[in-house]
């Protein structure tokens, strides 16, 4: 088992690797790595062209993982994702042809552009770690990480993900536009060659699996657990909220906090870890009342107010 210092060093090398491709997106890189360590998945909601695909490709190359991209369209079928059984006349039997979901890292581009039936094929794999094709259940590769994207601007021909499906994602992130200086730096890097082409892996799959196991051993004090649950319970009794965060949200926040502590080189969690991750792990699990939306409130505002309101545990 690697010590904490060597694990932290390796994880920071992955972040530095991603930063060779992505300019000014360190927080997104850190949060993506936290989700990967916590064995969760990410929903990335942003306008086209800000580097969502580049981000996940850089992450895949950094850990030497198999990578597949699924472009979701209205006519996409579940079999286009999970694979299909094809009859082989030579062998006189059906052979399984794996779909793109049989990869370590999967980018689901514009997931809201396909039908709920096709969406569920990906979401089943995310939740269960396996898929069923023609009555046969097959396990997905380990580790398995999905980064799904959706365009928040165009809604024609889209199928909104229900709350129960949004809950399957550990985090919902937004990258945002780069600043003027960052965009100039992007042009400078692309002026010579594509930085993604010369990116090399800095971590093996075996090391990643060991790190994922180590994250589960990070100590979470009872006061931190109570702090997480208090924040979650505040969402259920809030006057602005129609549907509060479920226990799955509490579990997701604890797993994320353990991963962040490991990334920070600690074998224990702090209230600061909870405060940092709550705005990324909890908002998409909330449903606001109609009057709250019309009043200009957002789920992010509600979580921010709750975190400020709940007493922060301090041990002397």
């Amino acid at each position: 088992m690697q010590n904490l210092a060597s694990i932290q060093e390796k994880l920071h090398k992955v972040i530095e690797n991603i930063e060779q491709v992505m300019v000014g997106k360190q927080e997104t890189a850190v949060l993506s790595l936290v989700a990967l360590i916590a064995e969760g998945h990410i929903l990335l909601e942003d306008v086209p062209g800000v580097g969502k695909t580049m981000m996940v490709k850089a992450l895949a190359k950094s850990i030497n993982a198999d990578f597949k991209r699924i472009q979701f369209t209205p006519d996409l079928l579940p079999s286009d994702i999970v694979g299909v059984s094809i009859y082989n006349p030579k062998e006189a039997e059906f052979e399984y042809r794996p779909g793109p979901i049989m990869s370590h890292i999967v980018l689901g581009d514009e997931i809201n552009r396909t039908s709920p039936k096709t969406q569920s094929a990906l979401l089943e794999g995310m939740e269960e770690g396996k898929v069923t094709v023609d009555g046969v259940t097959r396990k997905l590769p380990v580790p398995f990480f999905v980064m799904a994207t959706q365009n928040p601007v165009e809604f024609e021909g889209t199928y909104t993900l229900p709350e129960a499906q949004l809950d399957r994602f550990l985090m919902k992130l937004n990258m945002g536009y780069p600043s003027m200086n960052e965009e100039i730096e992007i042009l400078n890097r692309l002026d010579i060659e594509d930085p993604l082409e010369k990116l090399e892996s800095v971590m093996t799959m075996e090391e990643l699996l060991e790190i994922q196991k180590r994250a589960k051993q990070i100590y979470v004090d009872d006061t931190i657990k109570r702090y997480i649950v208090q924040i979650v319970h505040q969402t259920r009794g809030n006057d602005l909220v129609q549907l509060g965060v479920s226990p799955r949200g509490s579990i997701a926040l604890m797993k994320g906090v353990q991963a962040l502590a490991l990334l920070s080189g600690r074998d224990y969690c702090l209230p600061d870890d909870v405060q940092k991750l709550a705005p990324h792990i909890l908002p998409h699990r909330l449903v606001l009342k109609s009057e709250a939306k019309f009043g200009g409130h957002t789920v992010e505002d509600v979580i921010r107010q709750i975190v400020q309101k709940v007493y922060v545990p301090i041990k002397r």
Side-chain angles (χ1 to χ4, degrees):
M1 184 71 73
Q2 302 176 64
N3 60 44
L4 289 173
S6 64
I7 289 175
Q8 184 186 27
E9 184 182 357
K10 282 186 179 295
L11 292 174
H12 280 274
K13 280 183 179 178
V14 174
I15 295 170
E16 290 169 5
N17 224 32
I18 295 173
E19 288 183 317
Q20 293 180 34
V21 176
M22 303 299 298
V23 180
K25 303 298 179 188
Q26 185 184 51
E27 184 181 28
T28 308
V30 169
L31 292 172
S32 298
L33 196 53
V34 166
L36 179 61
I37 297 168
E39 300 180 37
H41 309 282
I42 287 179
L43 179 63
L44 199 53
E45 187 175 80
D46 225 318
V47 296
V50 293
K52 300 186 291 291
T53 303
M54 291 279 282
M55 166 69 73
V56 69
K57 279 185 177 180
L59 179 59
K61 289 196 77 171
S62 297
I63 62 173
N64 197 26
D66 294 332
F67 170 78
K68 289 289 189 300
R69 179 178 177 271
I70 306 171
Q71 179 62 57
F72 285 95
T73 56
D75 61 345
L76 198 73
L77 298 174
S79 58
D80 295 325
I81 296 174
V82 300
V84 64
S85 295
I86 298 176
Y87 184 72
N88 184 341
K90 187 177 179 181
E91 302 292 335
E93 61 181 19
F94 284 91
E95 290 182 351
Y96 172 62
R97 301 288 176 87
I101 198 172
M102 288 293 179
S103 301
H104 292 117
I105 294 185
V106 176
L107 171 63
D109 219 353
E110 295 190 291
I111 189 174
N112 57 333
R113 289 215 171 274
T114 196
S115 67
K117 184 177 181 180
T118 305
Q119 290 173 357
S120 65
L122 177 65
L123 293 163
E124 180 197 357
M126 289 167 48
E127 182 69 14
E128 306 293 338
K130 55 190 177 184
V131 294
T132 304
V133 181
D134 295 333
V136 179
T137 300
R138 291 178 169 85
K139 289 186 177 181
L140 295 175
V142 179
F144 178 68
F145 176 70
V146 172
M147 184 177 283
T149 72
Q150 60 180 11
N151 185 347
V153 180
E154 298 173 354
F155 294 103
E156 281 190 37
T158 61
Y159 302 84
T160 306
L161 289 172
E163 284 72 28
Q165 293 185 352
L166 282 174
D167 208 29
R168 308 275 180 96
F169 291 95
L170 183 77
M171 298 184 195
K172 183 180 178 184
L173 304 179
N174 302 87
M175 293 180 69
Y177 287 115
S179 66
M180 185 177 290
N181 289 334
E182 288 169 352
E183 197 158 352
I184 291 171
E185 177 61 25
I186 292 171
L187 298 181
N188 289 336
R189 291 187 184 185
L190 290 171
D191 195 31
I192 304 171
E193 60 179 329
D194 186 353
L196 192 62
E197 295 296 325
K198 61 180 182 179
L199 210 62
E200 296 181 356
S201 63
V202 292
M203 183 188 293
T204 64
M205 300 298 289
E206 291 73 21
E207 289 172 332
L208 175 60
L209 289 171
E210 187 179 321
I211 288 171
Q212 287 181 333
K213 289 178 183 177
R214 186 66 179 271
K216 295 175 183 177
Q217 301 170 8
I218 297 298
Y219 176 68
V220 186
D221 193 77
D222 287 343
T223 57
I224 301 295
K225 292 176 183 176
R226 180 172 291 276
Y227 184 43
I228 289 171
V229 172
Q230 283 177 332
I231 291 173
V232 168
H233 269 253
Q234 285 290 325
T235 67
R236 299 171 190 168
N238 196 290
D239 294 336
L240 302 173
V241 178
Q242 179 181 333
L243 181 67
V245 177
S246 69
R248 183 187 284 170
S250 302
I251 295 168
L253 185 52
M254 187 181 75
K255 287 183 176 179
V257 163
Q258 287 177 303
L260 183 60
L262 184 61
L263 182 60
S264 304
R266 287 181 273 107
D267 59 358
Y268 58 91
C269 302
L270 295 173
D272 292 353
D273 300 326
V274 179
Q275 293 172 358
K276 181 177 177 61
L277 292 182
H280 303 291
I281 292 178
L282 300 182
H284 66 284
R285 305 171 193 273
L286 286 180
V287 179
L288 294 185
K289 293 179 179 177
S290 299
E291 53 267 34
K293 294 178 185 177
F294 293 139
H297 296 281
T298 65
V299 287
E300 290 80 12
D301 292 337
V302 171
I303 293 298
R304 197 176 300 114
Q305 291 167 9
I306 289 173
V307 171
Q308 291 174 354
K309 177 182 175 182
V310 175
Y311 173 75
V312 181
I314 299 173
K315 268 200 167 186
R316 297 184 182 280

